[in-house]
Amino acid sequence: MRMTDDQRAAARAVIVNAAGRRLRVDGLAGVGIDALAREAGQTSGAIYAHFSSKAEVFAAVVSAGLARLKAGIERCRSTGPGWARVFALQYLSKQHRDQVADGCVLPSLSADVARSDEELRSAYAAEVETAIMALSEGCPGPTAEERRQQAITLLVLGTGGILLSRAVPEGPLSDDILEAASRAVSKLSATNSG
């Protein structure tokens, strides 16, 4: 029986979600199509029915991950004034640090994106810029460019804080890195709102 378009889209989403978890943990070089298929409960042939290569799976994972980032930014809007700071502090949580497989693609896969082809890097840049613009809407400042720069700073602090806190063994240093990044976010927010 042939799959409907909805069934095909659902199967593809299962593959992208499972592959995303595995890629965030193992990186692009650390996993092959067979491992991605096992993670998704599929055969490698099923993967190839949806994607022509591991690079294409990776591009879909990155795109889906950036969509999740933007959705997270949108969810924080409802917290009221200062929502961009709320987003950044939630991003810098121990829970986010500890749940690599389900975390943001920025700290997990940006290095792999940097080693990818120009097409993926350009698509990534466009999606990151969209996230920056969405986050800038919650930043204080008299000009759009100042708000954009604050949003970039929040993403840099969040991504770098999570990346470094994951890179060291679990313990006091990892916690200190998150706390330092959170203090920097709070200080930036206080400086720019006063």
Side-chain angles (χ1 to χ4, degrees), residues 19-112:
R21 287 190 303 275
R22 187 68 184 263
L23 286 164
R24 284 181 189 92
V25 172
D26 295 330
L28 185 59
V31 64
I33 286 289
D34 290 339
L36 294 177
R38 278 191 304 277
E39 185 76 21
Q42 304 285 325
T43 65
S44 53
I47 301 289
Y48 284 119
H50 296 277
F51 301 96
S52 64
S53 65
K54 183 172 83 166
E56 193 175 305
V57 175
F58 180 68
V61 164
V62 169
S63 179
L66 290 170
R68 280 181 54 204
L69 171 67
K70 291 185 285 187
I73 291 169
E74 291 303 317
R75 276 192 305 277
C76 283
R77 284 181 187 270
S78 66
T79 63
W83 65 263
R85 177 180 177 271
V86 170
F87 168 80
L89 292 174
Q90 287 178 356
Y91 193 95
L92 284 162
S93 70
K94 289 180 183 180
Q95 179 182 9
H96 185 209
R97 175 197 61 199
D98 297 343
Q99 294 181 349
V100 177
D102 294 313
C104 181
V105 298
L106 294 181
S108 300
L109 297 177
S110 289
D112 286 324

Side-chain angles (χ1 to χ4, degrees), residues 114-189:
R115 291 185 284 271
S116 294
D117 63 35
E118 191 64 33
E119 183 179 352
L120 178 58
R121 292 176 68 214
S122 294
Y124 180 81
E127 293 295 324
V128 169
E129 184 65 43
T130 301
I132 289 167
M133 296 313 293
L135 188 56
S136 74
E137 293 173 16
C139 294
T143 69
E145 183 55 27
E146 287 175 340
R147 292 187 297 274
R148 180 179 177 275
Q149 290 302 316
Q150 288 175 45
I152 290 170
T153 301
L154 291 176
L155 280 181
V156 167
L157 287 168
T159 302
I162 290 293
L163 178 62
L164 285 177
S165 68
R166 286 178 179 168
V168 301
E170 185 178 325
L173 179 57
S174 180
D175 292 344
D176 288 347
I177 291 167
L178 283 184
E179 289 169 18
S182 294
R183 280 192 308 274
V185 164
S186 292
K187 185 176 180 180
L188 175 71
S189 298

